Amino acid sequence: MKTKRIISLLCLLIAAALIFAGCGAENEPPAGSENGGSVSSGQGGEEQSSESSQASAGHPTADGNPRTVRDLYVEYPDFMIEINNNGALDVCNFCTETGTALYICADDLGDNFEIDAYIANSLLAGNAANGGLEDMVINGRTWRASDSGRRLYLAAANDDGVYEVILTRGASEQEYTDMYDLVMKTLWLA
């Protein structure tokens, strides 16, 4: 029981630290970067096999709890609880007692926005900014992604903002698998 309380407390402390850190540092490209100057949203083409429910609703749905942050729609499992973000706009954090967590953050685009430069300056990206990024297509949208096996970092942008989604595995591998499957099925950026 003490272990569960400690893990819950650690999860809450991490969430609070992420909230106070903000969604990212400056939105300017790092010094010497040749990637500044164009908006690269990473939008991929639509996949040919879209379900009728996806087409009629505009986004895929499942049996999870829906959440919308600006233009991003996602569902999270019933076993996760929402962490109060003290009124922080465009930030959502969900966690379990075993430390499985889902964190969503939206931010404004800066001048000369470029997604990889943004990620390089993002506090949320962590080690993903060190060259471990790959393209991952989720529901027809290309995201910049880094997966360590214990933490999945996703970032994408559209005309209205940049979005970061982080999935963290806690002590329960099953909880992480269930969260991962639901998020990947429903993550939708208009």
Side-chain angles (χ1 to χ4, degrees):
M1 189 66 175
K2 256 188 173 177
T3 304
K4 284 185 180 181
R5 285 185 181 177
I6 291 171
I7 290 172
S8 295
L9 180 60
L10 286 174
C11 185
L12 290 172
L13 289 174
I14 290 170
L18 290 173
I19 291 166
F20 289 117
C23 286
E26 295 297 317
N27 289 339
E28 298 175 22
S33 171
E34 298 176 12
N35 293 332
S38 66
V39 173
S40 174
S41 66
Q43 181 173 347
E46 292 292 323
E47 293 183 17
Q48 295 294 333
S49 61
S50 62
E51 299 176 7
S52 61
S53 64
Q54 178 178 337
S56 63
H59 54 75
T61 60
D63 292 328
N65 296 310
R67 175 58 107 168
T68 302
V69 178
R70 292 190 188 185
D71 290 340
L72 182 135
Y73 174 87
V74 70
E75 294 180 18
Y76 62 95
D78 290 333
F79 58 80
M80 300 188 85
I81 56 168
E82 185 170 1
I83 306 298
N84 183 351
N85 289 322
N86 297 322
L89 295 176
D90 302 326
V91 175
C92 296
N93 191 19
F94 308 93
C95 193
T96 68
E97 288 186 10
T98 66
T100 301
L102 168 62
Y103 187 82
I104 302 166
C105 184
D107 200 2
D108 295 325
L109 299 176
D111 294 333
N112 300 319
F113 179 83
E114 200 280 323
I115 190 74
D116 285 340
Y118 180 89
I119 293 168
N121 288 312
S122 171
L123 298 173
L124 299 177
N127 293 333
N130 297 330
L133 294 169
E134 297 179 0
D135 286 342
M136 179 185 284
V137 177
I138 305 169
N139 294 318
R141 169 75 67 166
T142 301
W143 292 76
R144 296 296 284 153
S146 173
D147 192 351
S148 70
R150 294 197 63 83
R151 182 178 187 264
L152 172 65
Y153 172 83
L154 302 167
N158 65 9
D159 293 336
D160 295 325
V162 59
Y163 300 83
E164 294 174 285
V165 177
I166 299 135
L167 286 73
T168 306
R169 188 172 82 196
S172 171
E173 190 169 334
Q174 185 62 50
E175 281 183 355
Y176 181 77
T177 300
D178 292 345
M179 174 187 63
Y180 181 93
D181 292 344
L182 185 57
V183 168
M184 290 300 152
K185 183 175 183 179
T186 61
L187 188 64
W188 177 263
L189 183 56

